[in-house]
């Protein structure tokens, strides 16, 4: 079984940052492997180690800078990677779900995986939609927000738990081939070992343009246009305790006594 | 006419709050656009659900009788069939776990632009949606190109619709392609039952990512011991396996309503806040003054928890 894992490099904002137009300047951004994708990679690698999967391939839509993040996934045990980028992708400041779906479905057409794993969402734009939209596009079955997975490759079924709200899980059987969006906590993502990091250097990251995938620039014409970005107005009317740690702790202790929760 | 089709949600025989919120959001959008509000209620005891969903502002409720519980293949097919029939300008779906399990497929099938986790919108012939990015640190407005649109609305952003409405209830003739139903819900499981029920606690000391590593847990346990509090946490602590699932506060964990909720090193992601905003008094200790938790806190300390917590323990020893 071949597993394709979508891996996104996401930007995280520093505690202090400034918005300039519809973007945050690069100096306030730190780039990292999307947290949810880290769990998806781990799930794929564990399937490989358990002999359920023969190959784990990652795919990323991102500029050359993203290779550092891709190497991290390779160091954790993915076999090889594909990175899709194109000049046409540099312009839109927000890639809509449809664009990502078109690109990823072209990669699926080339790779022909049995299973696609994605993170539930990305920490930056947080659409939470690409996995399920992709499944619809490539006519795979799917499951969203999966927090336990038991593959029955012989039967062609994934037995999953979907994490619903309020401490309830739904048990669902999903026919393969399928796209599963992976929730944090499904496993414990490993740290890349030194050996893994060394090995990752020699693993393949295949760059692909839209043209390579048989797509043209029309594929990235987004229906969504970011028109404004701003820091939300603080609705805070919190009383902030001033002073050093001893003073603030003293005031907090007074509140706890006043509320009657501590004697 | 620019009509709205809003999809409701139920689980194990109960309509969920999202159903009444999506009515309010749908009415707002239908008023903006000058159209009718249609509701879809799919699977389960649809007639009894339709009675309850008949609130102020709803024009028509379409009942789709098929199966008992949520199944995304059924939902996607039913919504697509209703869309073909009604030709609404907007399809509104809750940004819930189940909403995210069918909304992207519906939008893709119908070739509609999709905006998820929307917290506000305006329509004056063109659609502009408001949503957050970067873990709620910024808000954005997004102009959406198209004639018809798919949106998922964030929970608890719109009030639940009230009153008794005068909606028409119409049974929708639904004939699904059963071969395309390739998933089967086999049951439900309650998780997180354990020795302690945090939803009963009067005073919760709750920890988040800010405690950095498991080795710092004893410091918090000392505080819990000194104050007689109950220990709870946000999601990452449970994901890391430092505390069991029954300690998790939030959308996917427990809803809590203590007298005092002391949030230590918790930034206040929307999923967490959904589980604890009903606390009488919220106190936050965080070294980031812009952390969203301060927006809902009554009292706050902007500082290093590793300085403040030992001092706090001393206050009660």
């Amino acid at each position: 079984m071949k597993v394709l894992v979508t891996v996104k490099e996401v930007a995280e904002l520093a505690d202090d940052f400034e918005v300039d137009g519809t973007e945050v300047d690069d100096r306030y951004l730190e780039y990292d492997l999307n947290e949810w994708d880290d769990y998806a990679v781990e799930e794929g690698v564990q399937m490989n180690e358990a002999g359920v999967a023969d190959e784990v391939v990652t795919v990323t839509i991102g500029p050359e800078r993203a290779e550092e993040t891709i190497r991290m996934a390779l160091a954790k045990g993915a076999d090889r990677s594909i990175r899709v980028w194109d000049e046409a992708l540099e312009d839109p400041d927000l890639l809509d779900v449809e664009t990502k779906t078109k690109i990823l479905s072209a990669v699926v057409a080339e790779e022909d995986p049995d299973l696609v794993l994605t993170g539930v969402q990305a920490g930056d734009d947080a659409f939470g939609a690409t996995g399920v939209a992709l499944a619809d596009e490539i006519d795979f079955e799917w499951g969203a927000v999966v927090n336990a997975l038991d593959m029955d490759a012989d039967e062609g079924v994934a037995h999953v738990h979907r994490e619903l709200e309020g401490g309830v899980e739904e048990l669902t059987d999903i026919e393969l081939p399928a796209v599963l969006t992976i929730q944090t906590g499904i496993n414990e993502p490993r740290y890349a070992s030194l050996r893994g990091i060394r090995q990752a250097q020699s693993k393949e990251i295949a760059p692909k343009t839209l043209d390579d995938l048989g797509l043209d620039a029309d594929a990235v014409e987004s229906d969504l246009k970011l028109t404004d970005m701003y820091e939300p107005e603080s609705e805070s009317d919190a009383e902030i305790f001033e002073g050093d740690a001893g003073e603030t702790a003293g005031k907090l202790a007074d509140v706890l006594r006043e509320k009657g929760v501590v004697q | 006419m620019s009509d709205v089709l809003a999809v409701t949600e139920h689980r194990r025989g109960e309509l969920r709050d999202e159903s009444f919120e999506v009515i309010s959001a749908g009415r707002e959008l239908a008023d903006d656009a000058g159209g009718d509000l249609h509701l879809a209620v799919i699977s389960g005891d649809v007639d009894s659900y339709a009675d309850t969903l008949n609130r102020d502002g709803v024009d028509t409720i379409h009942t789709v009788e098929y199966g008992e519980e949520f199944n995304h293949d059924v939902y996607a097919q039913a919504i697509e069939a209703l869309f073909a029939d009604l030709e609404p300008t907007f399809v509104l779906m809750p940004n819930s776990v189940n909403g995210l399990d069918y909304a992207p497929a519906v939008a893709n099938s119908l070739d509609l632009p999709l905006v998820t986790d929307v917290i506000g919108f305006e329509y004056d012939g063109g659609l502009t949606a408001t949503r957050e990015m970067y873990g709620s640190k910024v808000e954005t407005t997004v102009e959406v190109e198209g004639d018809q649109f798919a949106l998922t609305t964030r929970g608890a952003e719109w009030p639940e619709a009230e009153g008794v409405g005068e909606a028409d209830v119409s049974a929708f003739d639904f004939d699904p392609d059963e071969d395309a139903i390739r998933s089967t819900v086999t049951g439900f499981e309650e998780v997180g039952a354990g020795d302690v029920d945090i939803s009963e606690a009067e005073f919760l000391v709750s920890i988040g990512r800010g405690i950095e590593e498991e080795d710092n847990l004893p410091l918090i346990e000392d505080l819990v011991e000194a104050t007689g509090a109950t220990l709870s946490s946000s999601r990452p602590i449970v994901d890391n396996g430092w505390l069991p699932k029954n300690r998790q506060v939030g959308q996917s964990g427990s809803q809590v309503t203590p007298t005092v909720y002391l949030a230590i090193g918790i930034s206040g992601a929307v999923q967490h806040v959904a589980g604890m905003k009903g606390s009488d008094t919220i106190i936050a200790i965080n070294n980031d003054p812009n952390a969203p938790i301060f927006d809902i806190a009554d009292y706050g300390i902007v500082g290093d928890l590793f300085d403040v917590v030992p001092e706090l323990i001393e206050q009660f020893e």
Side-chain angles (χ1 to χ4, degrees):
Chain A
M1 173 181 286
K2 187 196 248 188
V3 181
L4 183 70
V5 187
T6 64
V7 167
K8 185 176 181 187
E9 183 186 67
V10 295
E12 287 168 13
L13 297 191
D15 283 348
D16 293 305
F17 62 92
E18 286 169 34
V19 175
D20 183 13
T22 55
E23 55 184 22
V24 174
D25 193 273
D26 220 25
R27 68 199 143 121
Y28 304 114
L29 300 176
E30 284 171 32
Y31 293 95
D32 203 355
L33 170 62
N34 180 40
E35 185 182 354
W36 287 265
D37 295 348
D38 196 9
Y39 289 85
V41 169
E42 178 65 31
E43 202 60 24
V45 171
Q46 285 187 13
M47 286 171 64
N48 206 345
E49 288 168 344
V52 178
D54 314 309
E55 192 180 27
V56 178
V57 183
T58 74
V59 53
T60 300
I61 303 170
E64 203 173 343
R65 182 196 61 227
E67 292 204 354
E68 202 179 320
T69 293
I70 297 170
R71 294 264 177 231
M72 210 187 302
L74 290 170
K76 289 173 183 231
D79 295 299
R80 63 185 169 83
S81 295
I82 296 159
R83 180 177 67 80
V84 183
W85 197 242
D86 200 282
E87 267 181 12
L89 287 160
E90 282 167 15
D91 292 335
D93 44 17
L94 188 66
L95 286 186
D96 66 354
V97 175
E98 194 184 357
T99 305
K100 288 182 262 195
T101 301
K102 277 185 196 155
I103 293 172
L104 293 174
S105 57
V107 173
V108 168
E110 278 198 351
E111 289 289 331
D112 194 24
D114 304 283
L115 182 69
V116 180
L117 302 178
T118 76
V120 163
Q121 64 176 41
D124 48 9
D125 59 21
F127 273 103
T130 306
V132 172
L134 174 66
D136 183 75
E137 184 67 23
I138 59 179
D139 200 26
F140 275 28
E141 187 50 22
W142 72 87
V145 193
V146 168
N147 72 343
L149 166 62
D150 175 20
M151 290 295 296
D152 188 339
D154 295 337
E155 290 290 319
V157 175
H159 305 286
V160 308
H161 288 211
R162 295 180 55 236
E163 186 190 70
L164 305 179
E165 297 88 349
V168 177
E169 293 182 1
E170 179 199 277
L171 283 53
T172 306
D173 289 346
I174 294 171
E175 287 180 23
L176 299 180
V179 179
L180 304 178
T181 81
I182 301 296
Q183 174 64 304
T184 62
I186 188 173
N187 54 41
E188 207 173 313
R190 70 195 67 194
Y191 288 100
S193 65
L194 275 174
R195 188 162 154 264
I197 291 167
R198 267 201 309 275
Q199 284 175 341
Q201 294 306 318
S202 56
K203 289 182 181 173
E204 179 192 4
I205 302 179
K208 301 255 183 204
T209 62
L210 293 180
D211 196 35
D212 294 335
L213 294 170
L215 298 169
D216 57 32
D218 290 349
V220 300
E221 268 183 17
S222 176
D223 290 324
L224 307 189
K225 193 173 156 218
L226 210 53
T227 49
D228 201 4
M229 181 183 284
Y230 47 90
E231 288 184 63
E233 272 178 42
S234 172
E235 295 155 12
S236 176
D237 50 8
E239 182 182 330
I240 303 292
F241 300 133
E242 305 288 342
D244 63 26
E247 290 166 309
T248 56
K251 289 173 189 165
L252 200 163
D254 289 344
V255 172
L256 295 179
R257 290 192 187 99
E258 221 173 87
K259 299 286 172 192
V261 293
V262 192
Q263 298 310 311
Chain B
M1 289 284 273
S2 293
D3 292 343
V4 177
L5 172 64
V7 184
T8 61
E9 182 164 325
H10 57 84
R11 184 190 302 159
R12 300 162 100 179
E14 302 268 341
L15 285 162
R16 303 195 69 242
D17 295 351
E18 283 86 345
S19 298
F20 304 101
E21 293 163 9
V22 87
I23 293 175
S24 297
R27 188 65 256 168
E28 186 188 322
L29 196 51
D31 286 344
D32 274 4
D36 284 347
L37 172 60
H38 297 260
L39 292 190
V41 54
I42 305 163
S43 305
D45 187 357
V46 290
D47 293 327
S48 130
Y49 293 147
D51 280 345
T52 315
L53 289 165
N54 197 343
R55 304 240 164 142
D56 270 346
V58 181
D59 295 299
T60 310
I61 301 171
H62 302 273
T63 57
V64 182
E65 213 168 345
Y66 192 92
E68 278 310 302
E69 285 292 345
F70 172 79
N71 175 298
H72 63 228
D73 296 309
V74 173
Y75 266 58
Q77 285 194 45
I79 296 162
E80 284 157 30
L82 275 165
F83 185 88
D85 205 40
L86 301 169
E87 296 182 1
T89 303
F90 309 94
V91 185
L92 229 56
M93 297 160 277
N95 197 74
S96 58
V97 171
N98 282 346
L100 289 175
D101 197 36
Y102 66 83
V106 168
N108 192 67
S109 277
L110 297 173
D111 201 18
L112 300 176
L114 170 68
V115 194
T116 60
D117 208 14
V118 167
I119 58 171
F121 40 61
E122 271 179 45
Y123 183 78
D124 54 5
L127 176 69
T128 305
T130 306
R131 61 192 306 281
E132 295 182 333
M133 276 177 68
Y134 301 118
S136 303
K137 283 188 168 177
V138 300
E139 251 173 53
T140 61
T141 55
V142 178
E143 232 173 64
V144 194
E145 215 173 277
D147 302 321
Q148 290 172 300
F149 313 90
L151 300 170
T152 71
T153 50
R154 178 179 287 183
E157 284 294 322
W158 279 268
E160 292 182 28
E162 292 178 354
V164 178
E166 295 170 354
D168 295 327
V169 178
S170 159
F172 184 68
D173 192 11
F174 178 55
D175 182 21
D177 171 5
E178 301 209 350
D179 289 342
I181 300 173
R182 292 172 290 175
S183 65
T184 315
V185 177
T186 58
F188 294 94
E189 204 172 277
E190 307 276 350
V191 288
D195 53 334
V196 176
D197 183 359
I198 56 171
S199 66
E200 295 290 319
E202 191 192 356
F203 176 28
L204 282 172
V205 167
S206 204
I207 51 172
R209 266 184 222 272
I211 75 153
E212 293 173 3
E213 44 190 295
E214 193 172 11
D215 288 350
N216 295 323
L217 210 50
L219 171 69
I220 306 297
E221 282 164 348
D222 287 349
L223 175 65
V224 167
E225 172 81 35
T227 56
T230 302
L231 183 60
S232 62
S233 79
S234 64
R235 175 176 196 107
I237 302 296
V238 173
D239 281 349
N240 285 340
W242 301 347
L243 285 178
K245 180 85 184 173
N246 65 326
R247 302 284 181 154
Q248 186 184 321
V249 173
Q251 206 162 46
S252 55
S254 294
Q255 301 259 341
V256 297
T257 51
T259 307
V260 173
Y261 188 84
L262 175 57
I264 301 178
I266 290 177
S267 67
V270 61
Q271 293 85 350
H272 181 74
V273 169
M276 49 65 77
K277 64 183 175 203
S279 308
D280 284 347
T281 299
I282 297 167
I283 309 173
I285 304 174
N286 201 298
N287 54 13
D288 174 9
N290 299 317
I293 192 80
F294 288 118
D295 288 345
I296 56 156
D298 301 288
Y299 300 94
I301 295 175
V302 178
D304 188 336
L305 73 91
F306 299 108
D307 296 333
V308 177
V309 172
E311 294 284 350
L312 192 57
I313 293 169
E314 223 166 79
Q315 292 282 331
F316 294 108
E317 280 180 344

